[in-house]
Amino acid sequence: MRIEVAGPSRFWVWQETRPLLLAQVARWKYGVHYLRLPGAVPVLPPITAVSARTAPSWPHRYASWLAGAPGPLHAGWWSLRPWRPPWPESVWRSEVADADPVGYLDWLEGWQGVLPMRRLPAVDEGRVKAYRKLAQEGLLPPLLLWWISGLDGRLLLDGHARLAAALAERLIPPMISLYLAPSPGRIDEEITHAMRQDSVIADQLEHDRRAGVDSGARARRRHFADVYASVPSERERTRAWPLPGGVPVWQDAAAAAPPGWPTDPD
């Protein structure tokens, strides 16, 4: 699974032998139009109710599965971290892009939601019913999301039935976000840069301490600790490759779109 780009505003998500998702950045870069195509291959093995009740370490389990899965991993450094949106459930629900097969992600409103790879199953399907019971017990396995910088949001790699169950139960499901992380060298550079400021900050802390300004000293210590803690959690831009055949090949795939799909040139 990889991102391939055609021109300055068109790209697709490719898996194994076919494109799964076409995307075109809107004119003036106010958002992105998407077209979902059939044929997505499951990225993770099925998660049964029995295995969900064993309460494994899901990030470690997902990492082991992804190592041999038809997913997006390539050479580099990756991070799997729990993610929870900073909104209430009613707002988060509106951030799930459920329009099918075409839709629009509005960047003007600051979209940071979840885009499923395929249509969500109906709430009366057996898998969804089973997951609803797990959700009621607080045992719902997390969704697996892939943060894609070209979407400014997350693609749902695994957990479509679990997402349907969470929506039916009106709750925010647990989620794990996969993204390209800074290399150890980049992290060392960031920390080295922060350490160069250490003497300045230390002098200021000592000045505050002698002046009896303990609250200011504590605030600066917290800020400096945050600098170190935030570096490993930074996201790199999603890596992409040139689309073989360029724009004409992308447009051929877009011929499957229903009326209303944008045809604006770059």
Side-chain angles (χ1 to χ4, degrees):
M1 181 177 285
R2 61 188 180 275
I3 307 294
E4 295 181 340
V5 296
S9 65
R10 297 178 175 93
F11 64 93
W12 67 23
V13 180
W14 179 277
Q15 187 185 37
E16 294 194 331
T17 62
R18 68 187 72 189
L20 301 179
L21 179 79
L22 272 66
Q24 178 171 333
V25 177
R27 188 183 292 272
W28 315 120
K29 297 180 174 58
Y30 289 156
V32 60
H33 301 271
Y34 70 83
L35 166 65
R36 284 195 297 231
L37 300 174
V41 177
V43 173
L44 301 184
I47 300 176
T48 65
V50 174
S51 63
R53 295 181 189 281
T54 63
S57 171
W58 289 116
H60 289 87
R61 179 71 60 86
Y62 286 6
S64 64
W65 282 338
L66 281 167
L73 297 188
H74 55 71
W77 295 87
W78 293 83
S79 180
L80 275 172
R81 288 176 176 263
W83 176 71
R84 183 175 177 84
W87 319 295
E89 188 277 336
S90 58
V91 176
W92 176 80
R93 171 183 294 269
S94 67
E95 295 292 292
V96 176
D98 58 355
D100 186 77
V102 298
Y104 179 70
L105 312 180
D106 189 350
W107 290 345
L108 193 60
E109 298 296 329
W111 189 82
Q112 282 278 330
V114 175
L115 174 59
M117 284 202 305
R118 55 183 177 273
R119 181 179 298 176
L120 298 182
V123 295
D124 57 353
E125 288 194 17
R127 293 175 303 154
V128 178
K129 289 181 179 179
Y131 284 134
R132 290 186 69 174
K133 292 181 181 179
L134 290 173
Q136 293 165 8
E137 299 174 36
L139 297 175
L140 188 67
L143 312 182
L144 176 61
L145 311 174
W146 176 23
W147 187 81
I148 299 177
S149 54
L151 296 175
D152 197 23
R154 295 166 174 84
L155 184 67
L156 177 58
L157 294 182
D158 187 83
H160 291 73
R162 301 195 294 280
L163 175 56
L167 292 173
E169 293 297 319
R170 305 196 69 82
L171 57 83
I172 297 177
M175 291 176 277
I176 293 178
S177 183
L178 172 71
Y179 57 88
L180 193 62
S183 68
R186 162 81 184 282
I187 293 175
D188 288 344
E189 290 176 2
E190 294 284 345
I191 292 178
T192 299
H193 175 73
M195 290 180 65
R196 291 195 182 110
Q197 311 302 318
D198 192 17
S199 59
V200 176
I201 294 175
D203 290 344
Q204 185 63 52
L205 291 176
E206 180 63 19
H207 176 272
D208 288 348
R209 187 186 66 79
R210 291 177 179 175
V213 188
D214 291 338
S215 60
R218 287 195 299 270
R220 286 184 173 86
R221 289 191 186 96
R222 286 195 299 269
H223 173 73
F224 198 55
D226 289 342
V227 170
Y228 283 100
S230 65
V231 172
S233 63
E234 292 179 1
R235 297 177 305 209
E236 295 288 317
R237 293 179 64 183
T238 307
R239 191 170 300 171
W241 285 261
L243 192 157
V247 173
V249 172
W250 187 95
Q251 290 175 326
D252 287 344
W261 175 253
T263 58
D264 292 342
D266 290 332

